[in-house]
Coordinates of all heavy atoms in Angstrom, one line a residue:
M1 N 22.8 -1.0 201.3 CA 22.1 -1.7 202.4 C 22.0 -0.8 203.6 O 22.9 0.0 203.8 CB 23.0 -3.0 202.7 CG 22.4 -3.7 203.9 SD 23.4 -5.1 204.4 CE 22.5 -6.4 203.8
F2 N 20.9 -0.9 204.3 CA 20.7 -0.1 205.5 C 19.8 -0.9 206.4 O 19.2 -1.9 206.1 CB 20.0 1.2 205.1 CG 18.7 1.1 204.5 CD1 17.5 1.1 205.2 CD2 18.6 1.0 203.1 CE1 16.3 1.0 204.7 CE2 17.3 0.8 202.5 CZ 16.2 0.8 203.3
T3 N 19.8 -0.4 207.7 CA 19.0 -1.0 208.7 C 18.0 0.0 209.2 O 18.2 1.2 209.3 CB 19.8 -1.6 209.8 OG1 19.0 -2.2 210.8 CG2 20.7 -0.5 210.5
L4 N 16.8 -0.5 209.6 CA 15.8 0.4 210.2 C 15.9 0.4 211.7 O 15.1 1.2 212.3 CB 14.4 -0.2 209.8 CG 14.0 -0.2 208.3 CD1 12.7 -0.9 208.0 CD2 14.1 1.2 207.7
G5 N 16.8 -0.3 212.2 CA 16.9 -0.3 213.7 C 15.8 -1.2 214.3 O 15.2 -2.1 213.6
A6 N 15.5 -1.0 215.5 CA 14.5 -1.9 216.2 C 13.1 -1.3 216.0 O 12.9 -0.1 216.3 CB 14.8 -1.9 217.7
L7 N 12.2 -2.0 215.4 CA 10.8 -1.6 215.2 C 10.0 -2.5 216.2 O 10.1 -3.7 216.2 CB 10.4 -1.9 213.8 CG 11.2 -1.1 212.7 CD1 10.7 -1.5 211.3 CD2 11.1 0.4 212.9
T8 N 9.1 -1.8 216.9 CA 8.3 -2.5 217.9 C 6.8 -2.2 217.6 O 6.4 -1.1 217.5 CB 8.6 -2.1 219.3 OG1 10.0 -2.3 219.5 CG2 7.8 -2.9 220.3
N9 N 6.0 -3.3 217.5 CA 4.5 -3.1 217.3 C 3.9 -3.4 218.7 O 3.9 -4.5 219.2 CB 4.0 -4.1 216.3 CG 2.5 -4.0 216.1 OD1 1.9 -3.1 216.7 ND2 1.9 -4.9 215.4
N10 N 3.5 -2.3 219.4 CA 2.9 -2.4 220.7 C 1.4 -2.8 220.7 O 0.8 -2.8 221.7 CB 3.1 -1.1 221.5 CG 4.6 -0.9 221.8 OD1 5.3 -1.8 222.0 ND2 5.0 0.4 221.6
D11 N 0.9 -3.1 219.5 CA -0.5 -3.5 219.4 C -0.6 -5.0 219.1 O 0.3 -5.5 218.5 CB -1.1 -2.6 218.2 CG -2.6 -2.6 218.2 OD1 -3.2 -3.6 218.7 OD2 -3.2 -1.7 217.7
A12 N -1.7 -5.6 219.4 CA -1.9 -7.0 219.1 C -2.2 -7.2 217.6 O -2.1 -8.3 217.1 CB -3.1 -7.5 219.9
D13 N -2.6 -6.1 216.9 CA -3.0 -6.3 215.5 C -1.7 -6.2 214.6 O -0.6 -5.7 215.1 CB -3.8 -5.1 215.0 CG -5.2 -5.1 215.7 OD1 -5.7 -6.2 216.1 OD2 -5.8 -4.0 215.9
N14 N -1.8 -6.8 213.4 CA -0.7 -6.7 212.5 C -0.4 -5.2 212.2 O -1.3 -4.4 212.1 CB -0.9 -7.4 211.2 CG -0.9 -8.9 211.5 OD1 -0.3 -9.4 212.4 ND2 -1.6 -9.7 210.6
A15 N 0.8 -4.9 211.9 CA 1.2 -3.5 211.5 C 1.7 -3.5 210.1 O 2.1 -4.5 209.6 CB 2.3 -3.0 212.5
T16 N 1.5 -2.4 209.5 CA 2.0 -2.2 208.1 C 3.2 -1.2 208.1 O 3.1 -0.2 208.7 CB 0.9 -1.6 207.2 OG1 -0.2 -2.5 207.2 CG2 1.4 -1.3 205.8
L17 N 4.2 -1.6 207.4 CA 5.4 -0.8 207.3 C 5.5 -0.4 205.8 O 5.6 -1.3 204.9 CB 6.7 -1.6 207.7 CG 8.0 -1.0 207.5 CD1 8.1 0.3 208.3 CD2 9.1 -1.9 207.8
T18 N 5.5 0.9 205.6 CA 5.6 1.4 204.2 C 6.9 2.2 204.0 O 7.1 3.1 204.8 CB 4.4 2.3 203.9 OG1 3.2 1.6 204.0 CG2 4.5 2.8 202.4
L19 N 7.7 1.8 203.0 CA 8.9 2.5 202.7 C 8.8 3.1 201.4 O 8.4 2.4 200.4 CB 10.1 1.6 202.8 CG 10.5 1.0 204.1 CD1 11.7 0.1 203.9 CD2 10.9 2.1 205.1
R20 N 9.0 4.4 201.2 CA 9.0 5.1 199.9 C 10.5 5.5 199.6 O 11.1 6.0 200.5 CB 8.1 6.3 199.9 CG 6.7 5.9 200.1 CD 5.8 7.0 200.2 NE 4.5 6.4 200.6 CZ 3.3 6.8 200.3 NH1 3.3 7.8 199.5 NH2 2.2 6.2 200.7
Y21 N 10.9 5.3 198.4 CA 12.2 5.6 198.1 C 12.3 6.2 196.7 O 11.4 6.0 195.9 CB 13.1 4.4 198.2 CG 12.7 3.3 197.3 CD1 13.2 3.1 196.0 CD2 11.7 2.3 197.7 CE1 12.8 2.1 195.2 CE2 11.3 1.3 196.8 CZ 11.9 1.2 195.6 OH 11.5 0.2 194.8
Q22 N 13.3 7.0 196.4 CA 13.6 7.6 195.1 C 15.0 7.2 194.7 O 15.9 7.2 195.6 CB 13.5 9.1 195.2 CG 13.7 9.8 193.9 CD 13.5 11.3 194.1 OE1 13.1 11.8 195.1 NE2 13.8 12.0 193.0
V23 N 15.2 6.8 193.5 CA 16.5 6.4 193.0 C 16.9 7.3 191.8 O 16.0 7.9 191.1 CB 16.5 4.9 192.6 CG1 16.2 4.1 193.8 CG2 15.6 4.6 191.5
V24 N 18.1 7.3 191.5 CA 18.7 8.0 190.4 C 19.5 6.9 189.6 O 20.4 6.3 190.2 CB 19.5 9.2 190.8 CG1 20.2 9.8 189.5 CG2 18.7 10.2 191.5
A25 N 19.2 6.7 188.3 CA 20.0 5.8 187.5 C 21.4 6.5 187.2 O 21.4 7.7 186.9 CB 19.3 5.4 186.3
L26 N 22.4 5.7 187.2 CA 23.7 6.2 186.9 C 23.8 6.6 185.4 O 23.2 6.0 184.6 CB 24.8 5.2 187.2 CG 25.0 4.8 188.6 CD1 26.0 3.7 188.7 CD2 25.4 6.0 189.5
D27 N 24.6 7.7 185.1 CA 24.8 8.1 183.7 C 25.9 7.2 183.1 O 27.0 7.5 183.2 CB 25.2 9.6 183.7 CG 25.3 10.1 182.3 OD1 24.7 9.4 181.3 OD2 25.9 11.2 182.1
S28 N 25.5 6.1 182.6 CA 26.4 5.1 182.0 C 26.0 4.7 180.7 O 24.8 4.9 180.3 CB 26.6 3.9 183.0 OG 25.5 3.1 183.0
A29 N 26.9 4.1 179.9 CA 26.6 3.6 178.6 C 25.4 2.6 178.5 O 24.7 2.6 177.5 CB 27.8 3.1 177.9
V30 N 25.2 1.8 179.5 CA 24.1 0.8 179.5 C 22.8 1.4 179.9 O 21.8 0.8 179.6 CB 24.5 -0.4 180.4 CG1 25.7 -1.1 179.9 CG2 24.7 0.1 181.9
N31 N 22.8 2.6 180.5 CA 21.5 3.2 180.9 C 21.1 4.2 179.8 O 21.6 5.3 179.8 CB 21.6 3.9 182.3 CG 21.7 2.9 183.4 OD1 21.3 1.7 183.2 ND2 22.3 3.3 184.5
V32 N 20.2 3.8 178.9 CA 19.9 4.7 177.8 C 18.4 4.9 177.8 O 17.6 4.1 178.3 CB 20.3 4.2 176.4 CG1 21.8 4.1 176.3 CG2 19.7 2.8 176.2
R33 N 17.9 6.0 177.2 CA 16.5 6.4 177.1 C 15.7 5.2 176.5 O 16.1 4.6 175.5 CB 16.3 7.6 176.1 CG 14.9 8.0 175.9 CD 14.7 9.1 174.9 NE 15.3 10.3 175.4 CZ 16.2 11.0 174.7 NH1 16.5 10.6 173.5 NH2 16.7 12.1 175.2
G34 N 14.7 4.9 177.2 CA 13.8 3.8 176.8 C 14.2 2.4 177.3 O 13.5 1.4 177.2
G35 N 15.4 2.3 177.9 CA 15.9 1.1 178.5 C 15.1 0.7 179.7 O 14.4 1.6 180.3
A36 N 15.1 -0.5 180.1 CA 14.3 -1.0 181.2 C 15.2 -1.5 182.3 O 16.2 -2.2 182.0 CB 13.3 -2.0 180.8
L37 N 14.9 -1.2 183.6 CA 15.7 -1.7 184.7 C 14.8 -2.6 185.6 O 13.6 -2.3 185.7 CB 16.3 -0.6 185.5 CG 17.3 0.3 184.8 CD1 17.7 1.4 185.7 CD2 18.5 -0.5 184.4
G38 N 15.4 -3.6 186.2 CA 14.6 -4.4 187.2 C 14.3 -3.6 188.4 O 14.9 -2.6 188.7
N39 N 13.2 -4.0 189.1 CA 12.7 -3.3 190.2 C 12.4 -4.4 191.3 O 11.3 -4.9 191.3 CB 11.5 -2.5 189.9 CG 11.0 -1.6 191.0 OD1 11.7 -1.4 192.0 ND2 9.9 -1.0 190.8
R40 N 13.3 -4.7 192.2 CA 13.2 -5.8 193.1 C 13.7 -5.4 194.5 O 14.5 -4.5 194.6 CB 14.0 -6.9 192.5 CG 14.0 -8.1 193.4 CD 15.0 -9.1 192.7 NE 15.8 -9.6 193.8 CZ 16.6 -10.7 193.7 NH1 16.7 -11.3 192.6 NH2 17.4 -11.0 194.7
V41 N 13.1 -6.0 195.5 CA 13.6 -5.8 196.8 C 13.8 -7.2 197.5 O 13.1 -8.1 197.2 CB 12.6 -5.0 197.6 CG1 11.3 -5.7 197.8 CG2 13.2 -4.6 199.0
D42 N 14.8 -7.3 198.3 CA 15.1 -8.4 199.1 C 15.1 -8.0 200.6 O 15.9 -7.2 201.0 CB 16.5 -9.0 198.8 CG 16.6 -9.6 197.4 OD1 15.5 -10.1 196.9 OD2 17.6 -9.5 196.8
W43 N 14.1 -8.4 201.4 CA 14.0 -8.1 202.8 C 14.5 -9.3 203.6 O 14.2 -10.5 203.3 CB 12.5 -8.0 203.2 CG 11.8 -6.8 202.7 CD1 11.1 -6.7 201.5 CD2 11.8 -5.5 203.2 NE1 10.6 -5.4 201.4 CE2 11.0 -4.7 202.4 CE3 12.4 -4.9 204.4 CZ2 10.8 -3.3 202.7 CZ3 12.2 -3.6 204.6 CH2 11.4 -2.8 203.8
T44 N 15.4 -9.0 204.5 CA 15.8 -10.0 205.4 C 15.7 -9.5 206.8 O 15.8 -8.4 207.1 CB 17.3 -10.4 205.1 OG1 18.1 -9.2 205.3 CG2 17.5 -11.0 203.7
W45 N 15.4 -10.5 207.7 CA 15.3 -10.1 209.1 C 15.7 -11.4 209.9 O 15.8 -12.5 209.3 CB 13.9 -9.7 209.5 CG 12.8 -10.7 209.3 CD1 12.4 -11.6 210.1 CD2 12.1 -10.9 208.0 NE1 11.4 -12.4 209.5 CE2 11.2 -11.9 208.2 CE3 12.1 -10.2 206.8 CZ2 10.4 -12.4 207.3 CZ3 11.2 -10.7 205.8 CH2 10.4 -11.7 206.1
R46 N 15.9 -11.2 211.2 CA 16.3 -12.3 212.0 C 15.2 -13.4 211.9 O 14.1 -13.1 212.4 CB 16.6 -11.9 213.4 CG 17.2 -13.0 214.3 CD 17.5 -12.5 215.7 NE 18.1 -11.2 215.7 CZ 17.8 -10.2 216.6 NH1 17.0 -10.4 217.6 NH2 18.5 -9.1 216.5
G47 N 15.5 -14.5 211.4 CA 14.5 -15.6 211.3 C 13.7 -15.7 210.0 O 12.9 -16.5 209.8
G48 N 14.1 -14.8 209.0 CA 13.3 -15.0 207.7 C 13.8 -14.0 206.6 O 14.7 -13.2 206.8
S49 N 13.1 -14.1 205.5 CA 13.4 -13.2 204.4 C 12.3 -13.2 203.4 O 11.4 -14.1 203.5 CB 14.7 -13.7 203.6 OG 14.5 -14.9 203.0
L50 N 12.2 -12.3 202.6 CA 11.1 -12.1 201.6 C 11.7 -11.4 200.4 O 12.4 -10.4 200.5 CB 10.0 -11.3 202.2 CG 8.8 -10.9 201.4 CD1 8.0 -12.2 201.1 CD2 8.0 -9.9 202.1
Q51 N 11.4 -11.9 199.2 CA 11.8 -11.3 198.0 C 10.5 -10.9 197.2 O 9.6 -11.7 197.1 CB 12.7 -12.2 197.1 CG 14.0 -12.5 197.7 CD 13.9 -13.6 198.8 OE1 13.1 -14.5 198.7 NE2 14.8 -13.4 199.8
R52 N 10.5 -9.7 196.6 CA 9.4 -9.2 195.8 C 9.9 -8.5 194.6 O 11.0 -7.8 194.7 CB 8.5 -8.3 196.6 CG 7.7 -9.0 197.7 CD 6.6 -10.0 197.0 NE 5.7 -10.5 198.0 CZ 5.9 -11.8 198.5 NH1 6.8 -12.5 198.0 NH2 5.0 -12.2 199.3
A53 N 9.2 -8.5 193.5 CA 9.6 -7.8 192.3 C 8.4 -7.0 191.8 O 7.2 -7.5 192.0 CB 10.1 -8.7 191.2
A54 N 8.6 -5.9 191.2 CA 7.5 -5.1 190.6 C 7.8 -4.9 189.2 O 8.8 -5.5 188.7 CB 7.5 -3.7 191.3
E55 N 7.0 -4.2 188.4 CA 7.2 -4.1 187.0 C 8.5 -3.4 186.8 O 9.0 -2.6 187.6 CB 6.1 -3.2 186.4 CG 4.7 -3.8 186.4 CD 3.7 -2.9 185.8 OE1 4.0 -2.1 184.9 OE2 2.5 -3.0 186.2
R56 N 9.1 -3.7 185.6 CA 10.4 -3.0 185.3 C 10.1 -1.6 185.1 O 9.0 -1.2 184.7 CB 11.0 -3.7 184.0 CG 11.4 -5.1 184.3 CD 11.9 -5.8 183.0 NE 13.2 -5.3 182.5 CZ 14.4 -5.6 183.0 NH1 14.5 -6.3 184.0 NH2 15.4 -5.1 182.4
V57 N 11.1 -0.7 185.4 CA 11.0 0.7 185.2 C 11.7 1.1 183.9 O 12.7 0.6 183.5 CB 11.5 1.5 186.4 CG1 10.7 1.2 187.6 CG2 13.0 1.1 186.7
T58 N 11.1 2.1 183.2 CA 11.6 2.6 181.9 C 12.4 3.8 182.2 O 11.9 4.8 182.9 CB 10.5 2.9 180.9 OG1 9.8 1.6 180.7 CG2 11.0 3.3 179.6
L59 N 13.6 3.9 181.6 CA 14.5 5.1 181.8 C 14.0 6.2 180.9 O 13.7 6.0 179.8 CB 15.9 4.7 181.5 CG 16.6 3.8 182.4 CD1 17.9 3.3 181.8 CD2 16.8 4.4 183.8
I60 N 14.0 7.4 181.5 CA 13.6 8.6 180.8 C 14.8 9.6 180.8 O 15.3 9.8 181.9 CB 12.4 9.3 181.4 CG1 11.2 8.3 181.3 CG2 12.0 10.6 180.7 CD1 10.0 8.8 182.1
E61 N 15.2 10.1 179.7 CA 16.3 11.0 179.7 C 15.9 12.3 178.9 O 15.1 12.2 177.9 CB 17.6 10.5 179.0 CG 18.2 9.4 179.7 CD 19.5 8.9 179.0 OE1 19.5 8.6 177.8 OE2 20.5 8.9 179.7
P62 N 16.3 13.5 179.4 CA 15.9 14.7 178.7 C 16.7 14.8 177.4 O 17.8 14.3 177.2 CB 16.2 15.8 179.6 CG 17.4 15.2 180.4 CD 17.1 13.7 180.5
T63 N 16.1 15.5 176.4 CA 16.8 15.9 175.2 C 17.2 17.4 175.4 O 16.4 18.3 175.6 CB 15.8 15.9 174.0 OG1 15.4 14.5 173.9 CG2 16.5 16.3 172.7
L64 N 18.5 17.6 175.4 CA 19.1 18.9 175.7 C 19.7 19.5 174.4 O 20.3 18.8 173.6 CB 20.1 18.8 176.8 CG 19.7 18.3 178.1 CD1 20.9 18.1 179.1 CD2 18.6 19.1 178.8
A65 N 19.5 20.8 174.3 CA 20.1 21.5 173.2 C 20.8 22.8 173.7 O 20.3 23.4 174.6 CB 19.1 21.9 172.1
L66 N 21.9 23.1 173.1 CA 22.7 24.3 173.5 C 22.8 25.2 172.3 O 23.3 24.8 171.3 CB 24.0 23.9 174.1 CG 25.0 25.0 174.5 CD1 24.4 25.8 175.7 CD2 26.3 24.5 174.8
H67 N 22.3 26.4 172.5 CA 22.4 27.4 171.4 C 23.2 28.6 171.9 O 22.9 29.1 173.0 CB 21.0 27.9 170.9 CG 20.2 26.7 170.4 ND1 20.3 26.2 169.2 CD2 19.2 26.0 171.0 CE1 19.4 25.2 169.0 NE2 18.8 25.1 170.2
K68 N 24.2 29.1 171.2 CA 24.9 30.2 171.6 C 25.4 31.1 170.4 O 25.5 30.6 169.3 CB 26.1 29.8 172.5 CG 27.1 29.0 171.8 CD 28.2 28.6 172.8 CE 29.2 27.6 172.1 NZ 30.3 27.2 172.9
S69 N 25.6 32.3 170.7 CA 26.2 33.2 169.6 C 27.3 34.0 170.3 O 27.3 34.3 171.5 CB 25.1 34.0 169.0 OG 24.5 34.9 170.0
A70 N 28.2 34.5 169.4 CA 29.3 35.3 169.9 C 29.2 36.7 169.3 O 28.8 36.9 168.2 CB 30.6 34.7 169.5
S71 N 29.7 37.7 170.1 CA 29.7 39.1 169.6 C 30.9 39.7 170.2 O 31.1 39.8 171.4 CB 28.4 39.8 170.1 OG 28.5 41.2 169.6
P72 N 31.8 40.2 169.3 CA 31.8 40.1 167.9 C 32.3 38.7 167.5 O 32.9 38.0 168.3 CB 32.9 41.1 167.5 CG 33.8 41.3 168.6 CD 32.9 41.0 169.8
K73 N 32.0 38.4 166.2 CA 32.4 37.0 165.7 C 33.8 36.9 165.3 O 34.4 35.8 165.3 CB 31.4 36.6 164.6 CG 30.0 36.5 165.0 CD 29.1 36.0 163.9 CE 27.7 35.8 164.4 NZ 26.8 35.3 163.4
V74 N 34.4 38.0 164.9 CA 35.8 38.1 164.5 C 36.5 39.2 165.3 O 36.0 40.3 165.4 CB 36.0 38.3 163.0 CG1 37.5 38.4 162.6 CG2 35.3 37.3 162.2
L75 N 37.6 38.9 166.0 CA 38.4 39.9 166.7 C 39.8 39.5 166.8 O 40.2 38.4 166.6 CB 37.7 40.0 168.1 CG 37.8 38.8 169.0 CD1 37.8 39.3 170.5 CD2 36.7 37.9 168.8
P76 N 40.7 40.5 167.0 CA 42.1 40.2 167.1 C 42.5 39.5 168.5 O 41.7 39.6 169.4 CB 42.7 41.6 167.1 CG 41.7 42.6 167.4 CD 40.4 41.9 167.1
P77 N 43.6 38.9 168.5 CA 44.0 38.2 169.7 C 44.1 39.1 170.9 O 44.5 40.3 170.8 CB 45.4 37.6 169.4 CG 45.5 37.6 167.9 CD 44.6 38.7 167.4
G78 N 43.6 38.7 172.1 CA 43.6 39.5 173.3 C 42.4 40.3 173.5 O 42.1 40.8 174.6
D79 N 41.5 40.4 172.5 CA 40.2 41.2 172.7 C 39.2 40.2 173.4 O 39.4 39.0 173.4 CB 39.7 41.7 171.4 CG 40.3 43.0 170.9 OD1 41.3 43.4 171.6 OD2 39.9 43.5 169.9
Q80 N 38.2 40.8 173.9 CA 37.1 40.1 174.6 C 36.0 39.8 173.7 O 35.6 40.6 172.8 CB 36.6 40.8 175.8 CG 37.6 40.9 176.9 CD 37.1 41.6 178.2 OE1 36.0 42.1 178.2 NE2 37.8 41.4 179.3
V81 N 35.3 38.6 173.9 CA 34.2 38.2 173.2 C 33.1 37.9 174.2 O 33.4 37.4 175.2 CB 34.5 37.1 172.2 CG1 34.9 35.8 173.0 CG2 33.3 36.8 171.3
T82 N 31.8 38.2 173.8 CA 30.7 37.9 174.7 C 29.9 36.8 174.0 O 29.5 36.9 172.9 CB 29.8 39.1 174.9 OG1 30.6 40.1 175.5 CG2 28.6 38.8 175.8
F83 N 29.6 35.7 174.8 CA 28.8 34.6 174.3 C 27.4 34.7 175.0 O 27.3 35.0 176.2 CB 29.4 33.3 174.7 CG 30.6 32.9 173.8 CD1 31.8 33.2 174.3 CD2 30.4 32.3 172.6 CE1 32.9 32.9 173.5 CE2 31.5 32.0 171.8 CZ 32.8 32.3 172.3
T84 N 26.3 34.6 174.2 CA 25.0 34.6 174.7 C 24.2 33.5 174.2 O 24.6 32.8 173.2 CB 24.2 35.9 174.4 OG1 24.3 36.1 173.0 CG2 24.9 37.1 175.0

C-alpha cells in the first residue's frame, strides 16, 4: 500500500491520472509457468472507492540449462581442477 500524497487539479476540466507499474511474481511452488494470476486494483480515497479488474496475467518462466566440464577429470586429492 502506498499514498500519492496531495494531488491538486488547478483546471476546471477533469484530469487523468495514469499509474504504470511493474511487478515480479514470487518464486514459489504455486507460481508456475503457464499459471494465471489475478490483476486487480482497489482505489480508495477520502469519500469514495473504486475497484477494477483486468485480464488475468500468465506467468512466464525461463528454461535454464547448465553445462560444464572439468579438466582434468581425474586427479589426486589436493590438486586443482578447472571447470568451464
Side-chain angles (χ1 to χ4, degrees):
M1 177 186 254
F2 61 92
T3 180
L4 299 175
L7 301 176
T8 304
N9 180 9
N10 293 322
D11 195 335
D13 296 331
N14 288 337
T16 300
L17 175 64
T18 302
L19 294 177
R20 294 177 190 214
Y21 60 94
Q22 180 178 356
V23 299
V24 175
L26 296 176
D27 185 16
S28 68
V30 296
N31 291 337
V32 295
R33 177 184 296 127
L37 296 176
N39 189 8
R40 178 184 131 168
V41 64
D42 295 325
W43 291 95
T44 58
W45 61 91
R46 189 177 316 142
S49 65
L50 177 69
Q51 293 79 34
R52 290 290 186 260
E55 293 182 30
R56 294 176 67 77
V57 293
T58 301
L59 293 171
I60 299 172
E61 291 184 308
T63 300
L64 302 175
L66 178 64
H67 302 278
K68 61 183 175 179
S69 61
S71 178
K73 293 183 178 182
V74 178
L75 64 153
D79 279 4
Q80 291 186 348
V81 63
T82 300
F83 288 94
T84 56

